[in-house]
Amino acid sequence: MTEQIPAVEFRHVDKHFGKLHVLRDINLSIMPGEVVVVIGPSGSGKSTLCRTVNRLETIDSGEIYIHGELLPEEGKALAAMRSKVGMVFQSFNLFAHKTVLDNVTMGPTQVLGVKKKEAEEQAMALLARVGVADQAKKVPAQLSGGQQQRVAIARSLAMRPEVMLFDEPTSALDPEMINEVLDVIVELAREGMTMMVVTHEMGFARRVADRVLFMADGVILEEATPDEFFSNPKTDRAREFLDSIAGH
Amino acid sequence: MRFIELLSTYGDMYVEAAFATWWMTAVSFIGAMILGLMVTVMRVCPIKPLRVVGDFYVQVFRNIPGISMLILVAYALPYLGLVLDWVPCVLVSAILICSAFASENFMSGINTVGVGQIEAARSLGLTFTQMMRLVIIPQALRSVVPPMTNLLIATMLTTAIASQVPVTPPELTGVVSYINTRMPYGVLAFIVPAATYLCTSLLIGYVGNKIDQRVRILR
Ligand SMILES: Nc1ncnc2c1ncn2[C@@H]1O[C@H](COP(=O)(O)OP(=O)(O)OP(=O)(O)O)[C@@H](O)[C@H]1O
Ligand SMILES: [Mg+2]
């Protein structure tokens, strides 16, 4: 049996913001096709963990590997690695001056060198897949939050990423739009996309996760299957956290 | 009517003066926009020394009065072996000063883009140059129309420094002294230039407004 190479691997990763120790000796492997959901209280370092994977945050020590390759520190090599890692933000971050279609084609045409016409066909297919094909000619400000986030997902998918990172993709959305975005992510998971998802949506976490990570104070306190974690959390911190959420 | 007499004697000169002001304004403004954009790219680039030089440039040229700049350019540059004619001296002075203000405008335009879109661009794997060219500069340009409209007016007023050196034909401010050294019209000689400055400003403001409405980014 051949050993599989992790899609993302953290080895002894540490990160500070000034005096604040936000990531403490993180060791983590995400295997190809795996969906890892990260939960934990506010300020525990979930976003930071997610953002170190494509080096939107630098790390102080340790190593991060993407498919066995050390994450480059800067320059063209880093840009090339980033193009293989999709990132979806809480605040969508669509390019405000571009149409929905141009948002999705920018990466493929500029980074991958795909011809414009081909990129547009692919983009339209992706927009159809996330259910916003009819909005292709509008600019982001003309779309609802849920639609914008689905466009942002399509924009990432257009790069044919090997890994997708989601940092609280539904936290900025009105409640009635949350499911339209979560459904897209669940569908991606079903298709075998490797994903790391930070979320406060516990039902969704249960549905989509192969593995749940519970973070507190920069440490991964628990790592378990969703069934194990939600029915039988091992640490007090996790139990308190789940109670506080259930209390809402 | 002394005013009619003034117009009939110097009418042609006023027209020439208006054109002199207009073309010097246009050249200075275009130069300031190009130089200002270059300085701005330096100020936001990942290379620290370039950022420092860019910031320093702006601090220096934003704080020199136009007339002092002209004196420096006219009398200091020859020491560096660069002798320019009067008109190029005026243009260089106006461009140096106005580019510093243009860069400040561009910086505020860049700040409207927001770190989120920059992170999205980096996540797609765009290089710094691609990100500037495709995401940041187009949005910065579209959001700076109102301040750049003001800068264009300020640039026009800056070209009045040409009145302090011998240029032919004289521009709108220079023509006043030109006339008054020959005939004692006094403040009367300034009416036509003042009206011309004012009308040009109003026109610039109107056109700037129209452009802004067209290119403004929906947010
Ligand atoms: N750029 C920064 N500079 C300084 N401190 C930061 C920065 N970004 C985050 N922090 C701090 O680091 C800690 C971890 O932040 P992080 O955003 O990773 O938390 P989080 O788990 O994602 O929280 P939330 O659920 O609120 O999103 C927090 O205490 C936060 O205040
Ligand atoms: Mg967060």
Side-chain angles (χ1 to χ4, degrees):
Chain A
M1 204 183 114
T2 55
E3 189 118 337
Q4 241 190 333
I5 299 171
V8 180
E9 187 180 5
F10 287 73
R11 284 192 204 156
H12 301 293
V13 170
D14 272 272
K15 161 87 182 167
H16 293 77
F17 281 118
K19 283 201 175 129
L20 194 67
H21 202 164
V22 275
L23 296 180
R24 299 168 189 253
D25 193 29
I26 300 290
N27 290 284
L28 170 67
S29 295
I30 302 176
M31 301 313 287
E34 196 181 16
V35 178
V36 170
V37 167
V38 184
I39 62 178
S42 183
S44 54
K46 307 180 296 294
S47 295
T48 310
L49 182 75
C50 211
R51 291 160 55 83
T52 55
V53 177
N54 63 359
R55 219 178 152 78
L56 288 180
E57 301 289 354
T58 58
I59 57 178
D60 300 338
S61 60
E63 292 117 43
I64 295 173
Y65 297 86
I66 310 285
H67 285 289
E69 277 183 63
L70 191 65
L71 189 62
E73 289 194 356
E74 54 184 29
K76 290 228 156 53
L78 175 59
M81 190 66 94
R82 278 175 172 155
S83 72
K84 299 180 199 165
V85 178
M87 175 105 189
V88 175
F89 303 85
Q90 184 174 339
S91 49
F92 331 133
N93 299 343
L94 295 176
F95 304 128
H97 63 308
K98 294 277 187 194
T99 63
V100 162
L101 184 63
D102 290 344
N103 262 276
V104 181
T105 56
M106 186 188 288
T109 53
Q110 299 293 330
V111 179
L112 305 179
V114 178
K115 293 267 184 315
K116 182 157 186 257
K117 191 160 167 294
E118 194 186 331
E120 287 184 349
E121 282 166 12
Q122 286 170 5
M124 284 313 298
L126 283 169
L127 289 171
R129 191 165 144 199
V130 299
V132 287
D134 51 339
Q135 313 291 324
K137 292 290 171 204
K138 294 189 181 167
V139 293
Q142 295 169 308
L143 271 57
S144 74
Q147 290 171 327
Q148 289 191 50
Q149 192 61 301
R150 286 181 282 151
V151 173
I153 294 173
R155 175 176 67 179
S156 287
L157 289 176
M159 299 299 290
R160 304 182 181 283
E162 294 165 3
V163 185
M164 287 280 283
L165 310 169
F166 293 85
D167 187 5
E168 299 198 29
T170 59
S171 293
L173 295 178
D174 293 337
E176 72 271 17
M177 294 172 188
I178 290 178
N179 279 327
E180 67 194 42
V181 172
L182 294 184
D183 289 346
V184 170
I185 302 174
V186 171
E187 187 55 35
L188 274 178
R190 201 169 291 151
E191 288 163 16
M193 176 64 76
T194 312
M195 303 199 283
M196 175 157 153
V197 187
V198 178
T199 186
H200 289 293
E201 300 290 330
M202 295 304 144
F204 161 74
R206 250 190 143 117
R207 209 152 43 113
V208 79
D210 294 313
R211 189 154 42 121
V212 173
L213 304 185
F214 176 74
M215 278 192 89
D217 301 327
V219 181
I220 298 175
L221 274 188
E222 292 199 35
E223 238 187 290
T225 65
D227 276 349
E228 269 169 23
F229 179 78
F230 287 108
S231 53
N232 190 18
K234 291 189 195 62
T235 59
D236 289 344
R237 281 301 292 273
R239 220 167 292 129
E240 279 165 29
F241 175 73
L242 288 176
D243 285 349
S244 75
I245 287 196
H248 284 312
Chain B
M1 277 296 284
R2 295 188 65 216
F3 189 57
I4 304 290
E5 178 194 296
L6 169 67
L7 286 187
S8 63
T9 321
Y10 291 108
D12 291 350
M13 277 207 82
Y14 278 135
V15 173
E16 276 188 341
F19 278 102
T21 290
W22 288 335
W23 83 257
M24 285 197 288
T25 302
V27 172
S28 303
F29 185 69
I30 292 168
M33 291 290 278
I34 294 169
L35 190 56
L37 193 55
M38 285 172 7
V39 170
T40 309
V41 171
M42 286 172 71
R43 293 173 76 189
V44 296
C45 82
I47 303 159
K48 181 107 193 277
L50 286 184
R51 289 205 299 270
V52 171
V53 171
D55 286 338
F56 184 72
Y57 176 93
V58 170
Q59 286 313 326
V60 169
F61 291 109
R62 198 171 59 152
N63 292 304
I64 298 182
I67 195 69
S68 317
M69 193 70 239
L70 181 59
I71 293 170
L72 270 173
V73 169
Y75 296 105
L77 282 189
Y79 284 108
L80 302 175
L82 193 61
V83 183
L84 294 177
D85 211 345
W86 289 113
V87 170
C89 278
V90 169
L91 296 176
V92 166
S93 305
I95 287 172
L96 287 174
I97 289 175
C98 295
S99 63
F101 287 97
S103 175
E104 286 294 84
N105 290 349
F106 283 130
M107 285 300 271
S108 68
I110 285 175
N111 286 332
T112 65
V113 176
V115 71
Q117 287 187 53
I118 292 170
E119 289 185 343
R122 289 160 76 195
S123 298
L124 284 179
L126 297 181
T127 61
F128 172 77
T129 326
Q130 287 175 319
M131 178 174 78
M132 286 307 285
R133 181 165 57 82
L134 299 166
V135 177
I136 299 179
I137 292 177
Q139 291 189 63
L141 286 178
R142 289 168 61 165
S143 65
V144 297
V145 174
M148 288 304 183
T149 305
N150 289 335
L151 181 61
L152 176 52
I153 293 170
T155 305
M156 173 176 74
L157 301 184
T158 302
T159 61
I161 57 177
S163 62
Q164 304 304 306
V165 291
V167 299
T168 13
E171 43 63 68
L172 282 172
T173 300
V175 80
V176 179
S177 351
Y178 179 92
I179 291 169
N180 275 330
T181 51
R182 282 158 187 82
M183 301 279 281
Y185 283 108
V187 79
L188 216 52
F190 195 66
I191 288 176
V192 171
T196 312
Y197 280 128
L198 180 66
C199 291
T200 310
S201 293
L202 289 176
L203 182 68
I204 291 171
Y206 177 80
V207 173
N209 213 352
K210 286 282 166 222
I211 295 175
D212 181 47
Q213 279 167 13
R214 179 161 303 183
V215 304
R216 178 178 291 170
I217 298 164
L218 257 132
R219 291 191 192 276

